[in-house]
Amino acid sequence: MNLSFQPLDLKLRHTFKIAREIRDVQNNIIVLLKDEDGIMGLGEAAPTSFFGENVKSVTEMLIQSIDLFKNADPFHIEDITGYLKNKFPKDAAARAAIDIALHDLIGKKLKIPLYRLLGLNQQKTKMTSFTIGIDTLEKMCKKVDEVKDFPILKIKVGIKNDVEILKELRKITKAVFRVDANTGWTVDEAIKKLNIMEELGVELVEQPFPVGSIEALKKVRRHVKIPVFADEDVKDSKDIPVLSDAVDGINIKLMKCGGIREAIRMISTARAHGLKIMIGCNIESSVSITAAAHLTPLVDYADLDGHLLVTNDPYIGVTVDKGRLTLPDGDGLGVKTR
Ligand code: MG
C-alpha cells in the first residue's frame, strides 16, 4: 500500500466556543491508502490540542508510518493498529485516520459497505444531536432557531450564566437538551445547576468536571437525577473500569481512541460495566463523521454533527435529516467527493 496525506482546513459556520476555547477554523488531515490494484481508502485525523495533537504531530506520525505500509496486507488491521498504538501511543487522531482508511479500503476491496463488514443493521442508526456552542444569548437563540428541525440539541455550558441561557432557550424550542460543561464546573455549582436543568428537560450532562474528578462525579450523582457522561475523562477502553462507578455513560470519539477497532473494544468494555454509550466527534468532514456513523447501531446516543458545523466539507457521506442519520450504500465508508 501507498500512504499519502493532505491538509483539510475546515471553516466553521459560526465561531466555535466551548468552556475552554474559541476558534473559526479546524485544521484536519486527510489520509489516503492506495493498494496495488489502485483502490483507495480514505481516512481523516481531526487533532485537538486538549489531547496534545495538532497538524504537525499528525504529519510527523504519518511520515514515520509510510514504510510500514509498503508491504502490508490491509486485512491485517489488528496487527497494523496494534503496532501503531505501541509506537505512537499519544497520536490517537493520527492513528484513527489510518484505521478509518484501512476499513474503507477493505470494504471497497470486498465491495461491501462498512456497516455490513461490521455485521450491523443500517436501519438502526441513532438520532444525532446538533451542537450549540457558547455565545451571547442573542446569538445562541439565533443558532437554535436555525436548527428548528433537530429534535435533540447539545448545548455547551460551563460558564457563569449558563442556567439563565438555558431557561431562555427553553422558551423558544421543545427540543430535548443535552448539556456539555467541557470540564467547566465545580461540584457545588454542578449540583445546583443540574437540579434546575432537570426541570428544563435536560436529558444528560457531559463532563462536568476536570479530568480525574472521580469523587466529584460520585457526589454529583448522589444529588442529581440527570445521567452523567464522561468525555474528556475517557480516551480509550483502559479508562473505562476506573470510571464505571462514577458515571452513567461514556462519550466515545474515534479521534480520542484511535479508530473503529478501539471504539468497538470500548463499546464492549462499557457494556460489560453496565454503562450507556454515546458516540461523538470533533469538527470533522464527512469522511470520519461517516466512519463514526457506521458504528451508531451499537450505541445509545449519537452526537455526529461535526460536518454540519462547517461550510466547506469536500465530501458527501452520511446524510442528516431532522437528526436522523442515513448511511450511504457505497462500499467501505461510502464517502464520495462532493
Ligand atoms: Mg463533550
Side-chain angles (χ1 to χ4, degrees), residues 180-201:
D180 186 351
N182 288 109
T183 74
W185 284 338
T186 63
V187 66
D188 292 339
E189 194 182 6
I191 291 170
K192 203 171 107 200
K193 288 182 170 181
L194 288 169
N195 279 312
I196 304 171
M197 289 184 182
E198 199 189 316
E199 275 149 41
L200 297 171

Side-chain angles (χ1 to χ4, degrees), residues 126 178 271 275-279 296 298-302:
K126 297 299 176 295
R178 297 172 186 163
R271 292 299 186 209
L275 296 172
K276 292 280 186 188
I277 300 162
M278 173 189 290
I279 189 154
T296 59
L298 286 171
V299 305
D300 306 296
Y301 306 95

Side-chain angles (χ1 to χ4, degrees), residues 154 156 180 182 206 231-232 251 253:
K154 176 153 125 180
K156 293 290 189 179
D180 186 351
N182 288 109
E206 251 180 70
D231 180 0
E232 285 87 340
N251 184 345
K253 292 176 185 162

